Amino acid sequence: MDELTAEVVVAGAGPSGLMLANELALAGVDVVVLERLAARTGLSKALNLQPRTAEVLDLRGLLGRAEQRSFTTVPEGHFAMIPVSYAGWDTRHPYQVGIPQAQVEAALEERLAEQGVKVLRGHELTGFAQDAGGVTVTAGDVRVRAAYLVGCDGGRSAVRKALDLPFEGFEGRGHGVSADVLFASTPPGAPTEWRSMRNLVRSAASPGSFVGLIPLAEPNLYRLSYGDRLNRPADLRAKVTDDEVRAKVRESFGDAVEISEIRWASRFSDDSRLAGKYRVDRVFLAGDAAHTHFPAGGQGLNLGVQDAMNLGWKLAAELNGRAPAGLLDTYEAERRPVAEAVLQNVAAQTALIPATPEQRAMRLLFQDLTAIPEVQHRLSGMVSGLNIRYASEEPDPVGTRLPDFPVGDGYVSDLFHKGKFVLLTTAPAGPPHPDVVVARVPALPWPNLTKVLVRPDGYVATATDSTAGWLA
Ligand SMILES: Cc1cc2nc3c(=O)[nH]c(=O)nc-3n(C[C@H](O)[C@H](O)[C@H](O)COP(=O)(O)OP(=O)(O)OC[C@H]3O[C@@H](n4cnc5c(N)ncnc54)[C@H](O)[C@@H]3O)c2cc1C
């Protein structure tokens, strides 16, 4: 048995685990990442970064790296496949970055390696025990003693199960299938580039079902998605056969559409689940380990990356002896309501897949209402993550995201690359501070304020209209 020590063990090298490990490494925390699989599969469930995730990656100088690996940008999101524009938001990234999940993971793992952290692949967490001083984690022939363990090990999380936490929610009645399919030629009516959320879905044969095609990076390569919210197979884990995919393509797009290759296919459920707690003493959950839902709106990966961004700096502050009492508990207090809201909007989106004439009428009415700019803005705020405001007893803008703006030759987001707090002040800046990047700016997004202290994850921690006081 190999014995290792670390400050934090991250179980799972999906997007959530890799983002978290990057955040910890950036803060100088000694982190070990355990991954069950011997090699990355290269398969991608998710296909997008939402605007808030783009902003979050930009705060760490990671967005460019992701965009290099992307194949498109889409200037809108969708709610139940009804397009919702991101144009009304004060963001430099009012679009979805079209990027396969495997490429997000590759970009994050590349940065992690540059920070000197290697993922221990082929190391499945099989158990752990915690005591007052730390956690001992077992993964095959390795045992790691650490101060904290974070389960980023996906929807079937071994960490969550070992903690015996309730995974609350509801069991859906349906299922969906995703498959990457190469066609011999462009299916009739299918877009050749993914630039909009329009015309991606067509009515399916039976009530409550859907089928759609999203064009991917190669000519005639599409993400085929189909499903039925009223019916599910007896075994949701049963392999999706090529025959099933071919039959669905024939039924939906006609006999003439020829498939050259089915690269992969997998089935997913429309269950909706949220962990009862995100923390038990020294063990935390993040990403799909804490919440799973039907992939409507393209939100799951984005939620997990932002969980990681929220937890990373807090764990680092605790380990570096700079955290105020209770900081670690704010992770659950802030992130669980965000996941709860996503689960709600996903359930609403699922209900908008019509199964009856009445539901069809409701969908048409809903679609009509989305023409109202305020409605569109509310919906796009939900799916983009741009509407997140962490609860605070202090008035606005405390708890809201700092919109990016130009400063000097660059942008204010550049000041966050080291993962520190950032103090923006329109008054004289005062002396440098070891834990805070201090910058004088000509103006703030809130003209009545003179100083805002912004957390490493880009949310306002505190604000004042005084020219004296902290860090003056
Ligand atoms: C069909 C489909 C389409 C989707 N499309 C989108 C989309 O467009 N946009 C979006 O935002 N989201 C989408 N999602 C959701 C998204 O894929 C997930 O939310 C995302 O993968 C969650 O990342 P994660 O890192 O939390 O978990 P995972 O990606 O599941 O990663 C968990 C990692 O932990 C490893 N692991 C598991 N158990 C152990 C263990 N015991 N020890 C060590 N390692 C372990 C796994 O091998 C894996 O590498 C989609 C999901 C599906 C099913």
Side-chain angles (χ1 to χ4, degrees):
M1 178 76 71
D2 280 346
E3 305 278 349
L4 302 177
T5 56
E7 291 179 289
V8 180
V9 174
V10 173
S16 309
L18 291 168
M19 186 70 194
L20 178 63
N22 266 294
E23 285 297 286
L24 293 167
L26 184 65
V29 171
D30 183 12
V31 55
V32 163
V33 184
L34 302 172
E35 167 55 48
R36 176 172 52 115
L37 299 176
R40 239 196 336 261
T41 63
L43 304 179
S44 294
K45 294 179 283 183
L47 287 179
N48 68 334
L49 300 174
Q50 293 285 359
R52 183 57 189 155
T53 312
E55 289 185 343
V56 154
L57 295 180
D58 208 22
L59 291 177
R60 296 296 182 264
L62 278 164
L63 181 60
R65 202 180 282 242
E67 285 186 329
Q68 276 167 13
R69 295 166 179 270
S70 70
F71 62 95
T72 190
T73 55
V74 186
E76 56 191 14
H78 74 96
F79 195 92
M81 294 312 291
I82 299 166
V84 288
S85 168
Y86 291 149
W89 287 93
D90 182 9
T91 175
R92 289 178 53 219
H93 311 290
Y95 49 82
Q96 296 185 75
V97 180
I99 175 171
Q101 177 164 338
Q103 292 298 331
V104 175
E105 293 170 4
L108 291 173
E109 193 166 347
E110 183 182 87
R111 166 64 75 83
L112 192 61
E114 287 164 16
Q115 300 203 70
V117 180
K118 250 185 80 185
V119 174
L120 296 185
R121 294 196 168 274
H123 285 81
E124 177 174 359
L125 173 147
T126 46
F128 62 86
Q130 58 172 326
D131 52 59
V135 194
T136 304
V137 180
T138 309
D141 57 356
V142 165
R143 195 156 45 210
V144 197
R145 177 72 179 168
Y148 295 99
L149 164 67
V150 188
C152 298
D153 50 344
R156 296 185 183 132
S157 171
V159 175
R160 187 190 67 239
K161 287 178 185 160
L163 291 170
D164 205 19
L165 285 174
F167 207 28
E168 296 154 352
F170 60 85
E171 189 173 310
R173 292 157 62 196
H175 78 290
V177 169
S178 278
D180 284 358
V181 179
L182 185 65
F183 293 98
S185 57
T186 306
T192 52
E193 277 186 311
W194 185 23
R195 294 274 180 205
S196 149
M197 296 309 299
R198 271 160 234 280
N199 304 324
L200 298 179
V201 173
R202 53 186 70 191
S203 355
S206 53
S209 64
F210 61 92
V211 60
L213 288 175
I214 295 179
L216 301 179
E218 290 172 42
N220 299 325
L221 180 65
Y222 285 82
R223 167 64 54 88
L224 168 73
S225 300
Y226 61 87
D228 182 337
R229 77 174 175 89
L230 299 180
N231 296 293
R232 61 170 50 174
D235 181 3
L236 261 177
R237 293 197 196 183
K239 189 173 161 10
V240 181
T241 61
D242 283 6
D243 284 351
E244 175 183 336
V245 173
R246 285 177 194 282
K248 179 54 73 174
V249 167
R250 264 198 310 278
E251 174 194 299
S252 310
F253 306 101
D255 288 340
V257 175
E258 200 185 315
I259 292 177
S260 304
E261 189 187 344
I262 300 168
R263 301 238 167 122
W264 67 275
S266 102
R267 205 181 306 278
F268 50 92
S269 86
D270 56 350
D271 294 352
S272 175
R273 304 266 175 217
L274 182 62
K277 288 162 86 172
Y278 278 24
R279 175 187 187 184
V280 178
D281 301 324
R282 293 178 168 276
V283 183
F284 293 80
L285 298 176
D288 275 18
H291 38 71
T292 58
H293 56 81
F294 197 63
Q299 301 174 87
L301 173 149
N302 291 271
L303 199 52
V305 167
Q306 291 177 54
D307 284 350
M309 190 75 169
N310 186 291
L311 180 58
W313 67 269
K314 293 175 181 174
L315 265 181
E318 180 71 26
L319 287 160
N320 294 335
R322 288 187 279 102
L327 181 69
L328 282 181
D329 287 330
T330 66
Y331 166 62
E332 176 180 315
E334 292 184 343
R335 292 304 299 172
R336 197 169 178 280
V338 172
E340 219 166 357
V342 169
L343 264 52
Q344 284 283 344
N345 88 44
V346 166
Q349 291 188 62
T350 315
L352 285 166
I353 303 168
T356 63
E358 291 87 343
Q359 288 166 359
R360 203 158 295 118
M362 179 62 88
R363 183 178 171 93
L364 286 173
L365 175 64
F366 188 88
Q367 206 159 349
D368 194 31
L369 293 175
T370 60
I372 302 169
E374 289 81 358
V375 173
Q376 181 133 168
H377 191 70
R378 181 74 75 92
L379 296 172
S380 65
M382 289 180 193
V383 288
S384 64
L386 291 170
N387 72 347
I388 293 168
R389 181 187 190 278
Y390 294 134
S392 166
E393 283 168 12
E394 290 189 57
D396 266 2
V398 175
T400 57
R401 59 183 256 285
L402 174 78
D404 203 4
F405 58 91
V407 176
D409 294 339
Y411 283 91
V412 82
S413 52
D414 302 339
L415 303 172
F416 290 81
H417 285 187
K418 293 203 158 62
K420 294 188 173 186
F421 274 77
V422 173
L423 176 72
L424 301 172
T425 171
T426 56
H433 187 287
D435 296 329
V436 181
V437 175
V438 183
R440 188 158 187 198
V441 291
L444 287 167
W446 304 279
N448 56 323
L449 298 175
T450 53
K451 293 177 188 174
V452 292
L453 181 67
V454 188
R455 310 181 338 182
D457 57 354
Y459 291 86
V460 175
T462 177
T464 180
D465 57 3
S466 158
T467 50
W470 34 268
L471 296 171

